[in-house]
Amino acid sequence: MRLRLAALAAGLLLAAGCAPMPPPEFVNLPPSAESPGAGDPTRGAILASSYAFGTPSSLAGDPAAAAEALAQLEYLTAELGFGGAWRDMHPLVSTELRLARAEARAALGFRQEASAQDAVDSLYGASAALRRGDRAAAGTRLAPLAGPGGADAALARLADLPPLPRAAAATARARDALNRRDSNRNQRELRF
């Protein structure tokens, strides 16, 4: 029985590996997204988003924090998905992040075809506006991303973020992969 399950799992992984990869996306973070002294913005996004989605109560009633966590998810989906400095991350991380992004966009009524850059800009812009108490500006920033319900519906969903289990699982996997990556690097450095 275990052998059959292992063979089935291997077959599914091979089939997933044969699926066409989406074209590379590149995302630049706005200056407001990078915290001074936080170090690498990708590492910061992994840690912050895994905490936020893993602890949904931290986002409850805080649409600015929800928008920021969603922006981090968008950023990580692009940044960890196509090599670069993070090419040694476990390959399932990028697949799970793409699924999590689709889940989040559907749950919030966001356009699935929006570029990662548009989503990052809209969400970080909305977060900054909400922190200033400017709901109208936040709605304006979300308008390019908002789907049929419009920006007002998107703002309401941010204030009452629905459960996003894929986002929690994907960002937790990214955090675990980051920890393994750091551990492997530390072990290699100790050998020399």
Side-chain angles (χ1 to χ4, degrees):
M1 182 66 169
R2 283 186 185 167
L3 187 58
R4 285 185 197 170
L5 289 176
L8 178 61
L12 289 174
L13 285 175
L14 284 173
C18 295
M21 289 293 293
E25 294 181 276
F26 301 99
V27 177
N28 293 310
L29 289 174
S32 63
E34 298 184 33
S35 302
D40 178 19
T42 303
R43 177 180 296 278
I46 290 169
L47 296 174
S49 65
S50 66
Y51 174 79
F53 291 117
T55 314
S57 62
S58 69
L59 303 176
D62 190 348
E68 192 169 308
L70 291 164
Q72 291 165 341
L73 175 63
E74 292 280 349
Y75 169 73
L76 291 173
T77 302
E79 184 68 13
L80 299 181
F82 301 102
W86 297 92
R87 67 185 164 278
D88 59 347
M89 281 290 235
H90 192 285
L92 285 179
V93 170
S94 63
T95 301
E96 288 190 23
L97 286 169
R98 283 193 306 275
L99 293 171
R101 175 173 66 179
E103 169 195 62
R105 286 183 178 191
L108 285 134
F110 292 163
R111 293 184 9 251
Q112 289 291 338
E113 72 278 3
S115 74
Q117 187 66 63
D118 288 344
V120 165
D121 292 343
S122 293
L123 289 162
Y124 271 119
S127 177
L130 288 166
R131 291 191 194 287
R132 291 189 312 268
D134 191 344
R135 187 173 166 82
T140 300
R141 293 304 305 260
L142 284 176
L145 187 58
D152 287 336
L155 284 169
R157 287 185 200 102
L158 285 173
D160 188 21
L161 197 66
L164 299 171
R166 282 192 185 267
T171 55
R173 181 179 287 272
R175 182 199 59 232
D176 293 346
L178 174 65
N179 290 339
R180 275 192 304 280
R181 179 182 195 241
D182 289 347
S183 176
N184 290 341
R185 282 189 173 175
N186 290 339
Q187 288 176 2
R188 280 193 304 265
E189 288 172 7
L190 289 174
R191 281 186 245 171
F192 293 109

